[in-house]
Amino acid sequence: MGISTAPGPQQKRFAAYLEGLAKAAGHADRIEPLKSYCKGLLLPLERKSVEPMAAKLAPDNVQRTHQSLHHLVADAPWNDQVLLAEVRRGVLPAMQKHGPVVAWVVDDTGFPKKGKHSVGVAHQYCGQLGKSDNCQVAVSLSVATWNASLPIAYRLYLPEEEWAKDSKRRESVGVPSEIAFQTKPQIALDQIRQAVEAGVDPGAVLADAAYGNDTKFRAGVTALGLLYIVGVQSSVTVWEPGTQPLPPKPWKGQGRPPKLLRRDGQHKPISAKQLATELPPSAWKDITWRQGTERGLRSRFAAVRVRPAHRDYWKAEPPPEEWLLIEWPKGEAEPARYWLSTLPEKTSLKALVKLAKHRWVIERDYEELKQELGLGHYEGRGWRGFHHHATLCIASYGFLVAERTRFSPSAHVGNLELSTPERPSGFRSRGAHPSGAA
């Protein structure tokens, strides 16, 4: 038996943080399981599923703890959005002590799966593997300052044919009836809309070309009063600087006056790639956007004012000008990346580049959420459990973010003042490597 000691400052902060989360979860029976689940996610375990966490948290009462944790994550009807809002309220003020919100980052992440019964599993592109394979994909929205970031919304993408339209499969995993098929950009736009309605401090919306190529997504962001800088493909069409669609045909005095913009064989938009290749050498500048671990991250960029041209022949007014930002590293045969941005006309090239490249923060978040907090370790198949586990992972990650911004930059999983009893002798969780976990 060890000598009992009073909780340290970090333990007190963690306890206060968990109290706020527990209240957001509602029913009193969920308070202790929620605290235990979050604590388990922050312990240095090889696998963060219910079984090994229960064994580590309560080695003398594994079965009962397993049942309570499983019920909390798989069955209890608490609201993920309410709990994530509480996380946001607790963590964002700490982040903002070091600087304002500068960006809302849209992204999705994949979880490779071997079976076909877990909710949302289908043969689709998986970023973790870099190819199409059997996986689940979730869409998220994160809020970022220059120094820190936090996911504030998270939802599973439900493939249309395999899941959204299959009532039997939906019922088998408990997909709520109100969840209809949405594309990933539609899910992201809903998340952005909810964040605006919740009064989250605004930032420029950042997203890759899977979202930025979607004209409706960009228009939706603008309609919500937000700026964006989003990736697009090289094939996206634009009107060159200083040009725009032809006006409607002159009215001949009969019928309705023509209202639609025009283009013809001599007056038409070009692709972003063609525009990039026709820019003069003087348009390109070497920009360093941030310091890497060993040296500054640097490449060659150009930015010009253009008008997006997608189906503008169905419009009566030309779209406003925006930035086309292009990255073309020296020595490469062609440009590497393209972005469209509604940042103000006076924005400097370096500021455009720095913000466009700030999407990297979400990669850092996902790396830690997956490798350290077990975001992909949930072993159930249901809709509720998938989202509950992710919400609790984000909640636990939020405490780490707050600790780093408030007190300790070294706050990481396994490096906190969290004590636990000894684990059962010889215990090895399902899915663990033969070498065993601590």
Side-chain angles (χ1 to χ4, degrees), residues 150-316:
L150 175 75
I152 63 169
Y154 187 91
R155 213 203 86 179
L156 180 69
Y157 167 70
L158 211 57
E160 186 172 17
E161 298 299 328
E162 299 93 332
W163 283 96
K165 290 183 176 180
D166 191 325
S167 58
K168 289 185 179 179
R169 292 190 86 184
R170 290 174 62 105
E171 184 178 357
S172 69
V173 294
V175 177
S177 59
E178 65 270 18
I179 299 296
F181 172 73
Q182 287 182 298
T183 64
K184 293 169 193 171
Q186 287 171 338
I187 293 172
L189 195 56
D190 272 356
Q191 293 174 334
I192 294 169
R193 184 178 296 110
Q194 290 161 9
V196 169
E197 292 171 352
V200 178
D201 286 358
V205 174
L206 313 184
D208 64 20
Y211 299 87
N213 243 50
D214 190 312
T215 305
K216 291 182 179 179
F217 174 79
R218 300 198 311 268
V221 171
T222 299
L224 290 169
L226 298 172
L227 304 175
Y228 62 72
I229 183 162
V230 294
V232 292
Q233 294 176 347
S234 62
S235 57
V236 71
T237 56
V238 297
W239 293 97
E240 296 176 76
T243 68
Q244 63 182 47
L246 294 170
K249 291 181 179 180
W251 185 44
K252 296 181 179 180
Q254 295 181 343
R256 295 181 178 178
K259 293 183 178 180
L260 299 180
L261 301 171
R262 295 178 297 134
R263 58 180 70 172
D264 59 29
Q266 284 71 46
H267 190 86
K268 57 185 179 180
I270 62 174
S271 70
K273 183 177 180 179
Q274 182 181 342
L275 191 155
T277 58
E278 293 177 356
L279 289 175
S282 59
W284 300 93
K285 307 295 181 185
D286 290 330
I287 300 291
T288 300
W289 63 89
R290 69 178 175 89
Q291 283 298 124
T293 53
E294 297 180 357
R295 56 186 173 82
L297 300 181
R298 187 176 181 85
S299 189
R300 192 173 66 142
F301 297 88
V304 292
R305 299 290 287 175
V306 301
R307 297 180 192 269
H310 182 69
R311 294 186 177 181
D312 58 8
Y313 43 76
W314 292 114
K315 297 177 181 178

Side-chain angles (χ1 to χ4, degrees), residues 35 39 46 57 64 71 79 96 134 155 166 184 255 262 264 294 317 325-326 348 361 364 372 382 409 419:
K35 293 179 179 179
K39 182 177 180 180
E46 182 180 358
L57 291 163
R64 183 177 177 183
H71 176 75
N79 189 303
Q96 291 173 294
N134 211 47
R155 213 203 86 179
D166 191 325
K184 293 169 193 171
R262 295 178 297 134
D264 59 29
E294 297 180 357
E317 296 288 339
L325 174 66
I326 310 156
S348 69
V361 297
R364 177 190 64 190
E372 302 294 334
S419 59

Side-chain angles (χ1 to χ4, degrees), residues 361-380:
V361 297
I362 194 64
E363 297 172 8
R364 177 190 64 190
D365 290 343
Y366 274 136
E367 181 178 9
E368 190 165 1
L369 279 163
K370 287 184 174 183
Q371 295 182 8
E372 302 294 334
L373 287 116
L375 182 62
H377 292 179
Y378 181 65
E379 295 177 349

Side-chain angles (χ1 to χ4, degrees), residues 34 40 56 68-69 84 87 92 98 109 147 149 160 173 182-183 194 221 223 261 310 314 327 374 377 390 406 412 421:
L34 184 144
K56 184 67 174 178
S68 69
L69 296 181
L84 285 174
V87 173
L92 265 184
H98 299 273
T109 189
N147 300 307
S149 53
E160 186 172 17
V173 294
Q182 287 182 298
T183 64
Q194 290 161 9
V221 171
L261 301 171
H310 182 69
W314 292 114
E327 179 182 3
H377 292 179
R406 286 173 175 146
H412 289 276

Side-chain angles (χ1 to χ4, degrees), residues 232 234 299 326-329 332 334-339 357:
V232 292
S234 62
S299 189
I326 310 156
E327 179 182 3
W328 192 340
E332 296 296 326
E334 60 183 46
R337 295 176 183 84
Y338 304 81
W339 296 264
K357 290 292 188 176

